[in-house]
Amino acid sequence: MSLTIPELAEQEGITATTLYNWRKQARARGQVLPSRSTQPDQWTSQKKFQIVLKTAPMNEAELSAYCRERGLYPEQVEAWRDACMNANEEAAAQAKQLRQARKAEQKRLRKLERELHRKDKALAETAALLALSKKAEAIWGTTHDEDD
């Protein structure tokens, strides 16, 4: 059973302020301590990772004792350990998806550039034919006048 700081202070005859200061100092050193304000599953990833690192070399009995002291369940720590171990696999899968998406976008871009180049050439050819047509008309006149 975990006690609140005021309850512990009364039980042990230590001022609550002293206990709060000790807790603050312990957290500043990187120790993970339980808190009534958040449940262990709501702790930050960093806190969970610290616990995983701290408990990694422990045997089952040591892990159970550690968890009891902090209001945790060994299953929670095991789930956090699994999440840490699989984190790189997830990152690798995401990186692979990003590479595939980038490759598809590059392929699409090349296709669009080829299409644009083809249309630019067609437009330039059309403009050249129009210019030649106007020059021919200026030199020889319209062909409709001769037919009449």
Side-chain angles (χ1 to χ4, degrees), residues 4 8 10 18 24 35 37 44-45 52 56-57 74 78 86 89 91-92 96 101 108 113 142-143 146:
T4 64
L8 182 61
E10 184 178 326
T18 301
K24 184 178 178 181
S35 166
S37 62
T44 65
S45 296
V52 168
E78 189 61 36
N86 294 328
E89 289 177 14
K96 183 178 179 182
R108 181 176 163 270
E113 286 173 343
T142 59
T143 55
E146 295 175 7

Side-chain angles (χ1 to χ4, degrees), residues 84-103:
C84 290
M85 293 177 75
N86 294 328
N88 288 334
E89 289 177 14
E90 195 172 303
Q94 286 177 346
K96 183 178 179 182
Q97 282 181 328
L98 286 174
R99 280 193 307 273
Q100 289 173 342
R102 186 176 61 239
K103 187 176 179 182

Side-chain angles (χ1 to χ4, degrees), residues 29-49:
R29 290 191 307 267
Q31 292 180 334
V32 180
L33 302 171
S35 166
R36 285 203 188 271
S37 62
T38 59
Q39 296 298 316
D41 285 333
Q42 296 171 344
W43 288 352
T44 65
S45 296
Q46 290 84 359
K47 283 185 179 182
K48 292 176 183 179
F49 184 63

Side-chain angles (χ1 to χ4, degrees), residues 131-142:
L132 286 174
S133 165
K134 287 190 180 201
K135 282 183 182 180
E137 189 176 311
I139 294 172
W140 292 298
T142 59

Side-chain angles (χ1 to χ4, degrees), residues 2 26 28 34-36 46 51 64 69 87 89 93 98-99 110 118 121 123-125 137 139:
S2 66
S35 166
R36 285 203 188 271
Q46 290 84 359
I51 290 174
S64 295
E69 290 171 9
E89 289 177 14
L98 286 174
R99 280 193 307 273
R110 283 193 301 273
R118 182 185 58 81
K121 284 174 63 176
L123 183 59
E125 186 178 331
E137 189 176 311
I139 294 172

